[in-house]
């Protein structure tokens, strides 16, 4: 729907950039108007009433007015600050990764309430959950944006998959034995990873978070979905590199939830 001249909406702040001497440019995700770019006038001034309410991955209610090329934030109220995510370095990196992916995939000005709901519920759950949530978010985001990996039939010949075959980022799914021989870019996919990906494609968030994912499986899912995401975006998210550096520094995260 067209964006009105003035409007109010819920939003999650995906990113914030300094603009000019005192302003800030926000990238926000809204349920009705998708991704929106908005300017906060004077946000970096010490006495600004809006600057502190509009930090990255904050859930807010905002009032906006349409400018010539960008929306202007005229009012804001924090609905959920997600403060625990900002006080823990690992959680900070994970929240940044989720928001960076949402920013990279969401088109501007197009309604996508399911994406907004997925982002908001994932940020809420991230306060207690961990790396398994990232894998769930990646997979469901890909599905919502039309890039869901094919895990039930071979994406090349459409043969039903009775067992896991190598995963091809370029073809977007798990291959049958015959097609795998013709796709040198595909890499092995374990039965556990195959099962987890198929389950996460249809499971609700609460059910997915109850699944126990051992560290080796988390790493494999991260490689599979990370390589597929990079293929689609044609770049590696910066926050993914940051999370890898943290993982090297502090070691792998503990397994989560119950067995699949």
């Amino acid at each position: 729907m067209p964006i009105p001249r003035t409007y109010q909406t819920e939003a999650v702040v995906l990113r914030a950039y300094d603009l000019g001497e005192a302003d800030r440019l926000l990238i926000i995700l809204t349920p009705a108007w998708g991704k929106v770019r908005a300017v906060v006038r004077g946000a970096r001034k010490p006495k600004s009433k809006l600057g502190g309410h509009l930090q990255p991955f904050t859930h807010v209610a905002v009032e906006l007015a349409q400018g010539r090329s960008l929306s202007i934030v005229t009012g804001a109220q924090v609905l959920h600050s997600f403060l625990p995510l900002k006080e823990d370095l690992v959680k900070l990196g994970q929240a940044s990764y989720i928001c960076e992916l949402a920013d990279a995939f969401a088109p501007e000005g197009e309604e996508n309430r399911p994406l907004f709901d997925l982002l908001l519920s994932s940020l809420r759950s991230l306060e207690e959950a961990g790396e398994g949530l990232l894998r769930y978010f990646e997979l469901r985001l890909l599905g919502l944006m039309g890039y869901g990996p094919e895990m039930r039939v071979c994406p090349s010949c459409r043969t039903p998959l009775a067992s896991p075959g190598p995963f091809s980022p370029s073809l977007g799914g798990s291959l049958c034995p015959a097609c795998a021989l013709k796709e040198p870019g595909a890499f092995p996919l374990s039965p556990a990873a195959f099962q987890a990906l198929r389950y996460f494609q249809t499971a609700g968030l609460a059910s997915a978070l109850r699944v126990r994912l051992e560290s080796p499986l988390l790493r494999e899912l991260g490689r599979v979905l990370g390589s597929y995401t990079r293929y689609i975006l044609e770049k590696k998210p910066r926050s993914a590199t940051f999370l890898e550096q943290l993982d090297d520094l502090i070691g792998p995260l503990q397994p989560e939830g119950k067995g699949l």
Side-chain angles (χ1 to χ4, degrees):
M1 70 179 72
I3 298 179
R5 291 186 61 84
T6 60
Y7 59 107
Q8 298 178 342
T9 181
E10 282 184 82
V12 173
V13 181
L14 301 178
R15 295 198 185 195
Y17 303 92
D18 289 346
L19 183 67
E21 295 184 359
D23 299 342
R24 183 163 288 141
L25 173 64
L26 302 181
I27 312 298
I28 60 176
L29 186 68
T30 71
W33 292 286
K35 187 167 68 176
V36 174
R37 297 177 183 269
V39 175
V40 190
R41 301 295 189 196
R44 289 152 52 208
K45 293 181 178 179
K47 296 183 179 181
S48 172
K49 296 181 179 180
L50 294 177
H53 296 295
L54 297 164
Q55 299 302 313
F57 44 91
T58 299
H59 180 207
V60 294
V62 289
E63 300 172 7
L64 302 111
Q66 276 286 75
R68 290 185 177 180
S69 58
L70 298 168
S71 293
I72 310 297
V73 178
T74 57
Q77 177 184 354
V78 174
L79 301 177
H80 198 313
S81 66
F82 296 112
L83 190 59
L85 303 183
K86 301 169 185 178
E87 295 178 335
D88 179 285
L89 192 58
V90 173
K91 296 295 184 185
L92 177 68
Q94 292 172 339
S96 298
Y97 179 66
I98 285 175
C99 287
E100 185 176 355
L101 283 186
D103 183 19
F105 277 96
E108 288 191 43
E110 293 186 15
E111 179 180 1
N112 195 329
R113 180 173 285 276
L115 175 57
F116 177 83
D117 291 342
L118 174 65
L119 175 63
L120 187 56
S121 62
S122 296
L123 288 173
R124 286 171 175 160
S125 299
L126 190 57
E127 293 184 350
E128 300 297 333
E131 190 175 350
L133 174 62
L134 302 190
R135 307 291 79 89
Y136 179 84
F137 179 84
E138 289 168 328
L139 192 58
R140 298 309 290 262
L141 171 67
L142 289 165
L144 285 174
M145 304 312 298
Y147 296 104
E150 186 57 76
M151 305 303 299
R152 300 191 180 276
V153 299
C154 174
S156 180
C157 70
R158 312 307 294 176
T159 298
L161 297 172
S163 59
F167 186 90
S168 169
S170 61
L171 295 177
S174 181
L175 305 177
C176 71
C179 292
L181 295 174
K182 299 178 287 186
E183 183 58 33
F187 48 85
L189 188 67
S190 72
F194 181 76
Q195 184 182 14
L197 290 170
R198 286 175 60 144
Y199 179 71
F200 278 6
Q201 282 185 320
T202 57
L205 178 57
S207 297
L209 293 180
R210 287 195 292 268
V211 175
R212 182 177 180 83
L213 300 174
E214 301 287 350
S215 294
L217 178 54
L218 282 170
R219 289 181 178 276
E220 182 180 3
L221 293 174
R223 288 193 297 270
V224 171
L225 294 171
S227 64
Y228 186 36
T229 299
R230 288 194 297 273
Y231 179 82
I232 296 169
L233 296 177
E234 299 183 340
K235 64 179 181 179
K236 183 176 183 177
R238 292 182 180 180
S239 48
T241 300
F242 176 71
L243 285 173
E244 289 171 359
Q245 293 171 342
L246 278 180
D247 189 56
D248 291 338
L249 183 64
I250 66 178
L253 300 178
Q254 295 298 314
E256 304 172 2
K258 301 178 182 179
L260 189 63

